[in-house]
């Protein structure tokens, strides 16, 4: 009578006891909150049904939570029918809200919306569940429509909208929403929490906005936030991505080693790697090993990236083998780093051998690293093959045609180089011009080569010309002979 999927500890709790809904509901609730075994909730629910017991109005919110944790559309759709048959939907607001949240977590926002629209009087929890669903499904337009229509908002509403913007790459919009929350939400008692600040720090990190990031750090201190591990990791990541390595390390060192996890170590190692501090990232990794924190695939990816920047071929191979020895599975990104470090060092045949030995199909990152190596060291034959593969994989990417054209150019095969660019034009693929951005006085300025659209273009070009003249004048200065040996 009991489903075989129940683990021994649950069977022991039920052994010899008369089954009832009040007995099973607390067990369903406990298992639904488990990060590893929420599926046991449904085993218990099957036991309840097979025992001819009637579920209560508390049963379904727990099951909805379990289905949300499992992100299982199949379970979500099956579960919906049960409270519907019992007449609990849409009248029981707690059951209805839990199922709206369930559909949202299962990436079924349209079904969440349909159920939401059936609720006679949706409360704030209902609105937040729908908003969060759209945000998590990257439907930012629908999320914003829900957000603007909400009769009231709490910190959950603002945090969901801000996090949705960050996940969709709208980092400036996320920061603008945070400022709006501070001005309009404060009057309603809305105050940022840890979840809000993690998203805001993530936006600062992606923008490389160190000034705003420091301001948010001060905000945390002034508002009396307890610097827990999640916030500390976000701060380390923000400072590292913004190039403030010393400040990233300061936050990291302030955390007791016993309270750290693999995520904060990865943030430090990855940050050092991005800025070319190869040996420092390896030293941090050694500290990590001594601390007892177990590295994961992301740890090794950061270390391999550091090896690329530092040109450490031997260390890259050692780390790659250590990754496998730890029982971890190398992903395509690990292979891309290994190919890149070998290619930059001129060991093209070895890099090509790694590509051929991969257990999965090489992606554009792997092939791109190999193509760059071929261009750098003049292996035209292989470069042509790889370049053509990249064009086939990404026919709408301008860089793939230009990469192939450049391979032909180094071999002085001008007609074929011209043909590669012509094919790009014929397919309607336009070259996206490179640009640079700089934040001055809190305002972002973007510049494209030879672009004169900026309002201060005349003054900017005048200053550039002046700098150019001064540099030429310095080049004309006679350098004493004793300096020449160091040039």
């Amino acid at each position: 009578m009991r489903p075989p999927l129940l683990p021994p500890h649950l069977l022991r709790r039920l052994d010899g006891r008369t089954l009832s809904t009040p007995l099973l509901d607390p067990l369903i609730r406990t298992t639904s909150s488990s990060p590893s075994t929420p599926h046991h909730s449904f085993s218990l629910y099957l036991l309840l049904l097979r025992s001819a017991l009637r579920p209560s109005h508390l049963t379904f919110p727990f099951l909805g939570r379990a289905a949300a944790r499992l992100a299982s559309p199949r379970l979500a759709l099956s579960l919906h029918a049960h409270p519907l048959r019992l007449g609990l939907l849409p009248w029981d607001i707690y059951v209805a809200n839990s199922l709206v949240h369930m559909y949202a977590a299962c990436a079924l926002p349209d079904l969440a919306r349909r159920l939401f629209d059936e609720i006679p009087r949706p409360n704030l929890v209902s609105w937040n569940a729908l908003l969060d669903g759209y945000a998590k499904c990257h439907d930012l337009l629908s999320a914003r429509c829900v957000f603007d229509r909400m009769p009231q908002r709490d910190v959950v509403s603002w945090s969901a909208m801000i996090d949705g913007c960050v996940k969709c790459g709208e980092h400036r919009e996320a920061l603008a929403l945070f400022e709006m929350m501070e001005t309009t939400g404060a009057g309603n008692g809305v105050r940022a929490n840890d979840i809000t600040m993690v998203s805001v720090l993530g936006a600062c990190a992606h923008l490389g906005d160190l000034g705003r990031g420091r301001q948010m750090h001060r905000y945390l201190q002034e508002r009396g936030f307890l610097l827990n591990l999640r916030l500390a990791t976000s701060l380390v990541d923000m400072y590292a991505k913004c190039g403030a390595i010393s400040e990233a390390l300061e936050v990291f060192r302030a955390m007791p080693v016993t309270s750290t996890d693999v995520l904060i170590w990865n943030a430090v190692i990855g940050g050092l790697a991005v800025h070319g501090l190869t040996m420092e990232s390896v030293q941090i990794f050694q500290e990590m090993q001594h601390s007892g924190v177990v590295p994961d695939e992301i740890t090794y990816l950061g270390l391999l990236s550091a090896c690329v920047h530092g040109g450490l071929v031997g260390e890259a191979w050692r780390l790659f083998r250590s990754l496998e020895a730890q029982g971890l599975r190398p992903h395509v990104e690990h292979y891309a780093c290994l190919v890149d470090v070998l290619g930059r060092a001129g060991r093209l045949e070895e890099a090509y051998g790694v590509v051929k030995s991969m257990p999965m199909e090489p992606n554009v990152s792997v092939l791109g690293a190999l193509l760059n190596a071929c261009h750098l060291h003049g292996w035209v034959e292989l470069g042509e093959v790889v370049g053509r593969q990249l064009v086939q994989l990404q026919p709408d990417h301008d860089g793939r045609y230009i990469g192939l054209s450049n391979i032909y150019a180094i071999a002085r095969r001008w007609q074929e180089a011209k043909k590669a660019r012509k094919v790009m034009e014929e397919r309607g693929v336009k070259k996206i011009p490179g640009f640079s951005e700089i934040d001055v006085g809190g305002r972002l300025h973007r510049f494209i080569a030879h672009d004169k659209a900026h309002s201060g273009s005349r003054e900017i070009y005048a200053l550039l010309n002046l700098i150019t003249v001064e540099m030429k004048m310095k080049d004309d200065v006679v350098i004493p002979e004793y300096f020449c040996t160091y040039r």
Side-chain angles (χ1 to χ4, degrees), residues 359-381:
M360 72 285 288
E361 286 294 317
N363 68 357
V364 292
S365 299
V366 175
L367 295 174
L370 190 57
L371 181 65
N372 289 337
C374 291
H375 182 264
L376 183 63
H377 297 286
W379 191 353
V380 177
E381 294 78 9

Side-chain angles (χ1 to χ4, degrees), residues 456-475:
S457 291
R458 187 182 297 275
E459 294 81 1
I460 292 167
Y461 279 104
L463 182 59
L464 282 173
N465 290 333
L466 178 62
I467 293 170
T468 303
V469 169
E470 287 188 1
M471 289 172 68
K472 286 182 178 178
M473 288 173 63
K474 288 181 180 179
D475 285 342

Side-chain angles (χ1 to χ4, degrees), residues 39-166:
H39 55 281
H40 290 325
S41 297
F42 289 94
S43 298
L44 288 163
Y45 181 57
L46 286 174
L47 177 59
L48 184 148
L49 294 177
R50 291 179 186 182
S51 304
L53 298 172
R54 181 185 172 87
S56 74
H57 69 287
L58 296 176
T59 310
F60 296 107
F62 304 146
L63 292 171
R65 182 194 300 167
R69 281 188 175 275
L70 293 166
S72 171
R74 182 179 62 83
L75 277 175
L77 291 165
S78 301
L79 180 62
H80 189 164
H82 291 242
L84 198 61
R85 283 201 300 268
L86 292 170
L88 295 172
L89 289 177
W91 314 107
D92 191 308
I93 190 70
Y94 298 105
V95 174
N97 285 346
S98 67
L99 296 193
V100 170
H101 171 71
M102 172 191 72
Y103 277 133
C106 293
L108 297 169
D110 292 340
L111 293 177
R113 181 56 187 256
R114 190 182 303 174
L115 180 55
F116 173 87
D117 289 339
E118 292 173 358
I119 301 173
R121 293 179 181 175
N123 60 13
L124 183 56
V125 176
S126 317
W127 285 96
N128 282 341
L130 183 62
L131 169 63
D132 191 49
Y134 279 124
K136 283 180 177 173
C137 292
H138 294 185
D139 187 350
L140 206 54
L141 183 62
S142 297
R144 189 59 195 252
C145 287
V146 172
F147 183 76
D148 291 339
R149 286 182 53 213
M150 294 179 74
Q152 65 179 119
R153 305 182 188 119
D154 62 3
V155 67
V156 176
S157 322
W158 287 97
S159 297
M161 195 67 228
I162 291 168
D163 187 56
C165 288
V166 171

Side-chain angles (χ1 to χ4, degrees), residues 211-226:
R212 186 72 68 90
R214 284 173 174 156
Q215 183 183 336
M216 291 302 105
H217 192 175
R218 287 194 298 273
Y219 178 94
L220 291 173
Q221 294 168 331
E222 291 166 2
R223 296 298 174 96
F225 277 80
L226 179 66

Side-chain angles (χ1 to χ4, degrees), residues 371-372 375 387 391 397-409 417 420-422 424 429-433:
L371 181 65
N372 289 337
H375 182 264
V391 168
H397 193 297
D398 62 316
R400 303 312 174 198
Y401 299 91
I402 294 165
L404 180 59
S405 176
N406 290 341
I407 284 290
Y408 288 132
R421 290 179 179 261
K422 187 178 180 182
M424 180 178 77
V429 180
K430 293 184 179 180
K431 185 181 184 306
I432 301 171

Side-chain angles (χ1 to χ4, degrees), residues 126-307:
S126 317
W127 285 96
N128 282 341
L130 183 62
L131 169 63
D132 191 49
Y134 279 124
K136 283 180 177 173
C137 292
H138 294 185
D139 187 350
L140 206 54
L141 183 62
S142 297
R144 189 59 195 252
C145 287
V146 172
F147 183 76
D148 291 339
R149 286 182 53 213
M150 294 179 74
Q152 65 179 119
R153 305 182 188 119
D154 62 3
V155 67
V156 176
S157 322
W158 287 97
S159 297
M161 195 67 228
I162 291 168
D163 187 56
C165 288
V166 171
K167 284 184 168 59
C168 292
E170 298 293 336
H171 306 297
R172 296 191 185 284
E173 180 65 19
L175 294 178
L177 278 166
F178 175 73
E179 291 178 359
M180 191 189 304
M181 183 189 77
E182 285 294 290
T183 54
T184 63
N188 299 319
V190 177
R191 290 286 184 271
N193 60 15
D194 292 3
I195 296 170
T196 320
M197 297 312 299
V198 165
S199 298
V200 170
L201 289 168
C204 295
H206 280 92
L207 292 170
D209 193 338
L210 180 58
R212 186 72 68 90
R214 284 173 174 156
Q215 183 183 336
M216 291 302 105
H217 192 175
R218 287 194 298 273
Y219 178 94
L220 291 173
Q221 294 168 331
E222 291 166 2
R223 296 298 174 96
F225 277 80
L226 179 66
L227 199 60
N228 58 32
L229 184 56
R230 193 176 181 190
L231 278 173
T233 303
S234 297
L235 278 170
V236 169
D237 185 60
M238 181 275 295
Y239 278 129
K241 285 180 177 173
C242 292
I245 296 298
S246 60
E247 287 167 274
L249 288 171
E250 185 180 338
V251 174
F252 173 70
R253 296 297 185 196
M255 289 297 295
V257 175
T258 53
S259 301
T260 60
D261 65 0
V262 67
L263 296 178
I264 195 167
W265 287 93
N266 286 350
V268 175
I269 290 169
L272 291 167
V274 166
H275 294 286
L277 300 170
T278 308
M279 297 314 300
E280 289 84 349
S281 65
V282 173
Q283 288 168 5
I284 291 289
F285 176 59
Q286 292 170 349
E287 286 185 41
M288 178 184 182
Q289 290 177 308
H290 292 147
S291 73
V293 177
V294 180
D296 61 9
E297 289 90 346
I298 302 299
T299 315
Y300 283 98
L301 187 60
L303 290 164
L304 287 168
S305 175
C307 292

